[in-house]
Amino acid sequence: MDAHTALDLARWQFAITTVYHFLFVPVTIGLSFVVAVFHTLWITKRDPQWMRLSKFFGKLFTINFALGLVTGIVQEFQFGMNWSDYSRFVGDIFGAPLAIEALLAFFLESVFLGLWIFGWGRIPEKLHAATIWLVHIGTVLSAYFILAANSFMQNPVGYKNNPETGRAELTDFFAVLTNKVQLVTFPHVLFSAYLCGGAFVLGVAAWLVWRNKKHEDRSMYRKAAKFGAWMTLVAGLGVVVTGDIQGKIMTEVQPMKMASAEALYESQSGAPFSILTIGSLDGQHEKIAITVPKLLSFLGTGSFNGHIQGINDLEKAYQAKYASDPLTRADSYTPTIPLTYWSFRLMMGFGFLAMLIAALALWSLRKSNGDNALTSRWWKWLGLAVLLFPILGNSFGWIFTEAGRQPWIVFGLLTTSNGVSPSVGPWTVLLSLVGFTLLYGVLAVIEVGLTLRYAKAGAPPFDDPFKDSDDEDSDDADKQLAFAY
């Protein structure tokens, strides 16, 4: 095995571990918001069902948070292990946002999550409710700073290239935080996370309505399902709007990515968008194509007659601009077209399907607390589908985002082949790849098992943690003194 094999293995390892980690990220962001809302509704309405739902989905959130934490640590280690030249090149840029994410956002999440988990009945209830909101704020801040680092890879700003050290050096941290790609990517990812959170609640609640035979519990789960369905639809609309803006920014800063999303080889105005194409894998020869006229131009420019640059013209321009520099030289500046074409469509398709199921759920729930709502046997499977679809859509969205940037690891500055660790051999990468894959497989079994176990158990019975707080005869002395500690 040679250096090229080491590069391919390192790319596979990063792809597997990153996609696996990102399965948990949108779910935890979305569920932290849901749990905070449910807890707040309990405080304001004093309806026991909201407390039960808050504790129930809080437990499922905690399981996913723990797995996301464990798998996320691996990502930063890989920068030093397999991508040392990349780390050396962008370390001055990435150091600030990643340090803030770890020191501020992560500790905000972890500290206040601990307070929320163990604070029931031990700290004032309004302060206790505030802790889960701080957890949600921490997840949002964490996403912002990590996306700021990723947006630099898509559209480098706020830096200068030092030819003596061969590194990109930070000159304007504010420019990095307000990168035009960052300002549209962050709300898009946030709405996607809320879409995942809402669909998760809808899916679990719909399944429990179908399964549960107790009328009072059915009423509670229908309430959760209605909340999840509305959250899914509203967040889905947010994803559509921000995605439309993101497409226009992408066309401006990464025109090759937009061209590869459609497999558009020749530049044209009024470019169509194909919903489905059957032909050669690279898209150069098509037999059957279902297209929407001029839609690609609108997605990329905001005008149905807008001009979209094709892959062939962009390839020639990039060869002329970048091929002379060793750090930016590549055999081809065209991404893997089948991967970008289909990941782009699967991203959108799974999102729209989740919104469709949410609309069907609201139609079924249109009569408040109707006994027949969500009881059809189809909801056993629709609940599972609506839970998985947004997670898959998020994953394919990130696959498109990263694969569409290739061959760049930092667009216009450093190719992926120049970012790999030169001293790490292919056998070393292969062993760690196999090890991580097996470990993640075990973690997947544990995560799915825990989620199914606690989801099947349903919401815990109502137990007001403050009911004895003013009872002088209570024998729970530790409970009364806990806050004093």
Side-chain angles (χ1 to χ4, degrees):
M1 291 191 286
D2 55 16
H4 186 74
T5 304
L7 170 63
D8 290 338
L9 290 171
R11 293 178 67 181
W12 270 108
Q13 180 174 335
F14 201 87
I16 291 170
T17 54
T18 301
V19 170
Y20 186 90
H21 169 64
F22 200 75
L23 294 175
F24 306 103
V25 172
V27 174
T28 55
I29 295 175
L31 279 183
S32 66
F33 174 77
V34 170
V35 174
V37 171
F38 285 173
H39 194 148
T40 303
L41 289 171
W42 151 246
I43 295 296
T44 57
K45 296 181 178 295
R46 310 310 296 184
D47 183 345
Q49 290 185 343
W50 291 120
M51 172 184 273
R52 295 179 66 196
L53 290 171
S54 176
K55 287 187 173 184
F56 174 56
F57 285 104
K59 187 172 291 185
L60 298 178
F61 159 70
T62 305
I63 293 169
N64 284 276
F65 180 87
L67 267 293
L69 169 63
V70 171
T71 56
I73 293 173
V74 177
Q75 307 307 305
E76 296 189 17
F77 277 118
Q78 281 192 95
F79 291 144
M81 291 188 301
N82 294 344
W83 303 97
S84 60
D85 279 359
Y86 161 75
S87 299
R88 187 178 300 110
F89 183 78
V90 299
D92 194 53
I93 310 292
F94 274 33
L98 293 183
I100 294 174
E101 188 274 331
L103 295 174
L104 173 63
F106 172 69
F107 279 99
L108 194 66
E109 298 170 57
S110 55
V111 169
F112 285 100
L113 179 58
L115 287 173
W116 184 78
I117 292 172
F118 299 106
W120 290 97
R122 291 179 170 86
I123 59 178
E125 59 180 5
K126 291 184 179 179
L127 181 61
H128 184 224
T131 60
I132 190 62
W133 280 109
L134 288 171
V135 172
H136 176 61
I137 292 171
T139 64
V140 171
L141 288 175
S142 181
Y144 190 90
F145 289 113
I146 291 175
L147 288 171
N150 182 267
S151 295
F152 179 84
M153 298 165 66
Q154 315 291 338
N155 180 45
V157 295
Y159 76 100
K160 68 175 181 179
N161 224 339
N162 189 330
E164 295 182 1
T165 61
R167 301 175 71 236
E169 298 179 352
L170 182 66
T171 59
D172 189 346
F173 185 51
F174 183 74
V176 173
L177 294 181
T178 58
N179 188 337
K180 66 172 67 176
V181 173
Q182 161 75 349
L183 293 180
V184 68
T185 299
F186 173 67
H188 187 64
V189 169
L190 197 59
F191 277 119
S192 298
Y194 291 149
L195 175 63
C196 285
F200 188 97
V201 172
L202 171 59
V204 172
W207 188 85
L208 286 170
V209 169
W210 172 82
R211 178 176 180 268
N212 203 288
K213 304 304 180 185
K214 295 181 180 179
H215 175 73
E216 62 272 17
D217 283 349
R218 276 191 174 183
S219 173
M220 178 181 64
Y221 294 134
R222 286 193 186 99
K223 188 182 296 185
K226 182 178 288 187
F227 178 91
W230 276 114
M231 184 174 171
T232 301
L233 282 177
V234 173
L237 291 175
V239 171
V240 172
V241 173
T242 55
D244 177 65
I245 301 172
Q246 191 177 36
K248 293 166 177 56
I249 298 296
M250 181 175 68
T251 303
E252 177 186 344
V253 301
Q254 293 177 297
M256 179 65 87
K257 186 183 289 186
M258 176 55 85
S260 69
E262 177 56 27
L264 183 72
Y265 281 86
E266 302 300 331
S267 303
Q268 60 178 293
S269 300
F273 180 85
S274 61
I275 299 174
L276 175 66
T277 298
I278 298 176
S280 60
L281 278 176
D282 62 5
Q284 294 195 63
H285 307 287
E286 63 181 44
K287 295 181 179 179
I288 300 173
I290 302 173
T291 63
V292 180
K294 301 187 177 183
L295 181 58
L296 183 66
S297 286
F298 179 79
L299 292 175
T301 67
S303 169
F304 286 106
N305 294 313
H307 185 74
I308 302 294
Q309 292 177 281
I311 293 171
N312 292 336
D313 289 340
L314 288 167
E315 178 68 31
K316 292 177 183 177
Y318 288 175
Q319 288 287 351
K321 184 176 181 179
Y322 298 115
S324 60
D325 188 337
L327 291 179
T328 59
R329 184 183 301 131
D331 295 333
S332 172
Y333 295 94
T334 302
T336 304
I337 299 302
L339 183 59
T340 54
Y341 180 91
W342 288 110
S343 60
F344 190 72
R345 279 148 185 79
L346 290 170
M347 169 191 69
M348 295 191 297
F350 281 122
F352 284 128
L353 285 173
M355 294 173 66
L356 175 61
I357 296 175
L360 291 173
L362 288 175
W363 177 257
S364 178
L365 291 161
R366 66 191 183 281
K367 293 182 179 179
S368 180
N369 296 324
D371 287 341
N372 294 322
L374 305 180
T375 56
S376 167
R377 63 186 179 88
W378 290 105
W379 280 105
K380 175 183 179 180
W381 305 111
L382 288 176
L384 177 62
V386 75
L387 188 154
L388 293 176
F389 284 169
I391 298 174
L392 292 172
N394 268 267
S395 297
F396 281 113
W398 273 109
I399 290 171
F400 169 75
T401 298
E402 300 306 294
R405 190 184 64 245
Q406 298 305 313
W408 303 105
I409 196 167
V410 181
F411 184 78
L413 298 180
L414 186 72
T415 60
T416 304
S417 59
N418 283 312
V420 73
S421 298
S423 59
V424 178
W427 283 108
T428 303
V429 183
L430 179 60
L431 289 174
S432 61
L433 170 61
V434 173
F436 279 133
T437 302
L438 292 175
L439 175 61
Y440 279 19
V442 173
L443 290 176
V445 173
I446 295 172
E447 197 276 340
V448 172
L450 288 173
T451 300
L452 290 176
R453 175 184 175 184
Y454 288 107
K456 288 179 179 179
F462 175 65
D463 179 22
D464 189 344
F466 294 96
K467 64 183 178 182
D468 295 324
S469 60
D470 298 323
D471 186 355
E472 295 181 358
D473 296 328
S474 173
D475 59 358
D476 190 356
D478 179 68
K479 182 177 179 179
Q480 294 187 31
L481 294 173
F483 187 56
Y485 295 143

